[in-house]
Amino acid sequence: MERVFCLVIGYVFGLFQTGYLYGRMNGIDIRQHGSGNSGTTNALRVLGKKAGLIVFAGDFLKTVIPCVAVRLLFGNSDMGHLLMMYTGFGVILGHNYPCYLNFKGGKGIAATAGILVATDWRITLVCMIAFLLIVILTRYVSLGSLVVVTIFLIMNVWFAARGDYGLAPSHILEYDLIVGAITGMGVWRHHANIDRLLHGTENPLWGKKKG
């Protein structure tokens, strides 16, 4: 029951579509411009740096708040981190597939960043450094995002196995599966980007396409 509750609460928070709402405040449906999603990168490209920052902050905070609340609520439980991860997964589902917008939302990377901060500062630090280096060197936000969700999976599985999160042994596999589902969602939502990266046609964050 707690798992369902956390998923539902997360999904409700995820329905706060920062990019869509900010776009409407500026007279556009952000999903009809640029890449067609309501996430941070598209808001940055279509509406500028201020919009990108606001959208990231909104999508980040809507994940951090419920995840931290669940972690505090169940902090003394041997499944506290597991329930927090269910909450974060719920937020990503609500963000990516908002029921009131025909299930057309973002890609969930800013929301995943919120889960990182709520989970473990060590993973957050490694992911932040990796993301910045990759984006600066390649100019591809999508590539940086894919590396981040991969690191997120590997380090969470490792730390959970070491016992860092106080999970009961019976919950570790379930925890790994939820983390894997979050990573899988991030990769799936970037499938078009992956195809463009492989063919050298991906849009860089600034400048012209390579080649």
Side-chain angles (χ1 to χ4, degrees):
M1 182 59 71
E2 293 96 340
R3 295 167 175 79
V4 175
F5 173 78
C6 289
L7 270 174
V8 171
I9 289 298
Y11 186 84
V12 171
F13 270 84
L15 293 179
F16 185 82
Q17 293 287 312
T18 315
Y20 174 78
L21 295 173
Y22 188 84
R24 282 301 188 189
M25 290 171 60
N26 287 272
I28 68 169
D29 182 344
I30 191 70
R31 301 169 306 154
Q32 296 177 2
H33 299 268
S35 65
N37 74 78
S38 59
T40 300
T41 304
N42 199 38
L44 175 64
R45 287 194 175 115
V46 175
L47 294 170
K49 295 179 181 178
K50 178 182 176 182
L53 181 61
I54 290 173
V55 172
F56 176 83
D59 291 342
F60 173 80
L61 290 173
K62 75 182 182 188
T63 312
V64 171
I65 292 170
C67 283
V68 169
V70 167
R71 184 173 175 179
L72 292 174
L73 184 62
F74 296 98
N76 296 323
S77 166
D78 62 4
M79 58 187 300
H81 262 76
L82 175 63
L83 293 176
M84 182 192 67
M85 203 59 71
Y86 268 102
T87 305
F89 186 44
V91 176
I92 290 174
L93 289 175
H95 175 78
N96 291 357
Y97 306 106
C99 56
Y100 68 101
L101 293 176
N102 296 318
F103 301 97
K104 186 180 180 182
K107 295 181 179 178
I109 298 303
T112 302
I115 301 176
L116 283 171
V117 170
T119 304
D120 193 315
W121 68 267
R122 296 168 296 181
I123 304 177
T124 303
L125 182 61
V126 173
C127 286
M128 182 176 66
I129 292 172
F131 180 81
L132 290 175
L133 283 175
I134 290 169
V135 173
I136 290 172
L137 292 174
T138 70
R139 300 180 292 146
Y140 295 139
V141 174
S142 56
L143 182 58
S145 300
L146 289 166
V147 170
V148 163
V149 295
T150 303
I151 294 172
F152 169 79
L153 172 63
I154 294 171
M155 294 190 72
N156 262 291
V157 169
W158 179 29
F159 288 148
R162 292 198 325 177
D164 289 17
Y165 300 146
L167 294 166
S170 59
H171 295 321
I172 291 178
L173 177 59
E174 184 181 0
Y175 183 83
D176 293 345
L177 290 174
I178 294 298
V179 173
I182 292 172
T183 298
M185 180 72 70
V187 173
W188 167 250
R189 295 292 285 179
H190 282 82
H191 68 275
N193 303 85
I194 294 172
D195 184 66
R196 289 194 295 269
L197 284 167
L198 292 174
H199 290 87
T201 58
E202 175 68 321
N203 293 315
L205 185 58
W206 69 87
K208 298 180 179 180
K209 295 179 183 179
K210 294 178 180 179

